[in-house]
Amino acid sequence: MIQTNSGLRSLVQSLRPMTSSLSKLEAYSCYTSQAASALQQATKPNSYREDEYAKVDWDNLGFGITPADFVYTMKCSIDGKFEQGELAPYGNVELSPSAAVLNYGQGLYEGTKAYRTDDGRLLLFRLDRNAARMKMGADSAGLLLQGKGLSPAPEYTFLIYASPVGNYFKEGLKPLSIYVEEEFHRATRGGAGGIKSITNYAPVLKAMARAKSRGFSDVLYLDSANKKNLEEVSSCNIFLVKGNVISTPATNGTILPGVTRRSIIEIARDHGYQVEERAIPLDELMDADEVFCTGTAVGVAPVGTITYQDRRVEYRVGEESVSRELYSILEGMKTGCH
């Protein structure tokens, strides 16, 4: 466990006023088309010493759980009112065997990243977007409605925990190799594919395991209705580049509206690219100049190859690629350099 004297405590304290009422988060939606204005400061500049923070081997950290010393919890009753939250030592959560989250999958989650700047500030990137998406997910899933039998739970717990993480993909910033999946589908129309429900991720594990056993990084899913249009990769959105045009599948209910996805769209438009959000046939993917993925966990990840049936296509990667340009701008914003 990572022992920190002030890092997580000050970060979580900064979140407490925001979590008291999710509806208030709508007031934070004051961003312009300039993605740089979306950077939020979680704590004020302060003087800090390196010995206040744990020594972490960042180069070999990976994308696992290395929990910090505190967890923040807050209860919400059936009437939608939150109780006073509290900080407690990181540890196991006690649940009833009949808990709705275990039996009926009634759970949502969000992930965001905090960055420490050279002068000691903690920065959170577009946290209001994550909170608004969680509120939308709760509304869509009917989590705070009363009923009988198979019905929403009478109480919910809002929980925040922190962990340092490295690159999501073992390849790091190296180009990914993606396999186009035809048998399994990530989501269907009218389902929960467009919200960050815990139920969305277990169905893709078998397809991912099969693809990785064949040497691929991840899986790209097609629409379940026609099996010809792109949806998204298991845990991230996908973009295509052809000339000066950047295309990405539209969020029509089956695709998660990623925060990084939206940021990349805004950055690209601000830098002269034409960005299209629409249905994208598989043929366009195989004819693209460049392909990349986006997400909170993956950042901006270049795709080197995509395999569909017996056809393997290679794409442009490297320093001169569009994805590297957008990645550099986005990371500069997240860390306070831009």
Side-chain angles (χ1 to χ4, degrees):
M1 186 173 293
I2 295 177
Q3 299 298 323
T4 60
N5 292 335
S6 60
L8 177 61
R9 184 183 292 275
S10 60
L11 175 60
V12 172
Q13 291 288 357
S14 71
L15 295 176
R16 295 176 75 171
M18 298 179 68
T19 56
S20 61
S21 175
L22 289 179
S23 62
K24 293 181 181 178
L25 289 160
E26 297 172 357
Y28 286 81
S29 300
C30 57
Y31 297 103
T32 67
S33 63
Q34 298 289 332
S37 65
L39 193 63
Q40 296 188 36
Q41 180 176 315
T43 62
K44 297 179 180 179
N46 59 81
S47 299
Y48 72 100
R49 305 188 313 272
E50 290 294 336
D51 60 3
E52 288 185 340
Y53 303 98
K55 290 181 173 62
V56 177
D57 184 2
W58 294 101
D59 293 333
N60 298 302
L61 184 60
F63 200 83
I65 297 296
T66 307
D69 46 350
F70 292 108
V71 63
Y72 179 75
T73 60
M74 176 188 290
K75 300 287 186 179
C76 179
S77 59
I78 194 67
D79 59 6
K81 294 182 180 179
F82 282 95
E83 300 174 0
Q84 178 64 43
E86 63 179 3
L87 283 173
Y90 183 94
N92 294 335
V93 177
E94 184 175 300
L95 289 174
S96 165
S98 62
V101 69
L102 298 178
N103 292 270
Y104 306 131
Q106 291 183 31
L108 301 169
Y109 81 96
E110 278 294 331
T112 189
K113 289 182 178 178
Y115 300 82
R116 185 175 293 284
T117 64
D118 291 339
D119 62 359
R121 292 176 296 157
L122 290 175
L123 301 181
L124 293 169
F125 188 74
R126 311 198 84 166
L127 182 62
D128 70 318
R129 293 276 186 173
N130 294 95
R133 186 170 63 183
M134 177 169 268
K135 181 181 183 300
M136 178 192 71
D139 292 340
S140 299
L143 293 188
L144 295 177
L145 298 176
Q146 191 170 11
K148 298 178 181 180
L150 175 56
S151 63
E155 180 183 80
Y156 294 85
T157 299
F158 181 77
L159 183 151
I160 302 173
Y161 68 92
S163 172
V165 293
N167 289 311
Y168 177 80
F169 290 110
K170 66 178 182 180
E171 293 89 344
L173 295 178
K174 294 180 180 178
L176 307 176
S177 58
I178 303 295
Y179 175 77
V180 178
E181 177 60 53
E182 294 182 279
E183 179 181 356
F184 298 102
H185 299 287
R186 178 190 167 274
T188 59
R189 288 290 181 92
I195 63 176
K196 210 164 179 64
S197 167
I198 63 175
T199 59
N200 289 346
Y201 296 88
V204 307
L205 295 180
K206 184 175 182 179
M208 285 179 59
R210 185 172 65 177
K212 290 183 177 181
S213 70
R214 298 173 180 174
F216 297 101
S217 306
D218 212 328
V219 175
L220 172 62
Y221 298 89
L222 303 177
D223 72 291
S224 61
N226 302 306
K227 297 186 178 182
K228 68 176 184 179
N229 293 326
L230 309 186
E231 290 272 290
E232 60 179 271
V233 181
S234 299
S235 59
C236 46
N237 299 113
I238 190 166
F239 285 79
L240 282 63
V241 181
K242 187 70 174 181
N244 193 55
V245 179
I246 300 176
S247 305
T248 190
T251 54
N252 55 8
T254 60
I255 297 174
L256 193 70
V259 175
T260 305
R261 173 188 180 275
R262 174 52 50 190
S263 300
I264 287 296
I265 289 173
E266 294 172 358
I267 292 171
R269 285 173 174 162
D270 288 346
H271 285 77
Y273 291 98
Q274 178 183 336
V275 181
E276 299 177 348
E277 299 178 72
R278 57 181 175 81
I280 302 177
L282 182 59
D283 290 344
E284 287 191 35
L285 171 71
M286 309 308 280
D287 188 48
D289 298 330
E290 186 179 334
V291 177
F292 60 90
C293 298
T294 67
T296 298
V298 308
V300 180
V303 175
T305 65
I306 285 184
T307 299
Y308 171 61
Q309 297 179 345
D310 58 352
R311 182 183 176 189
R312 181 174 179 268
V313 179
E314 296 185 358
Y315 300 97
R316 179 179 62 210
V317 295
E319 295 294 333
E320 301 303 317
S321 64
V322 173
S323 66
R324 181 62 62 89
E325 175 190 0
L326 299 177
Y327 166 82
S328 298
I329 296 170
L330 180 65
E331 289 304 301
M333 292 176 178
K334 289 179 179 179
T335 56
C337 296
H338 291 323

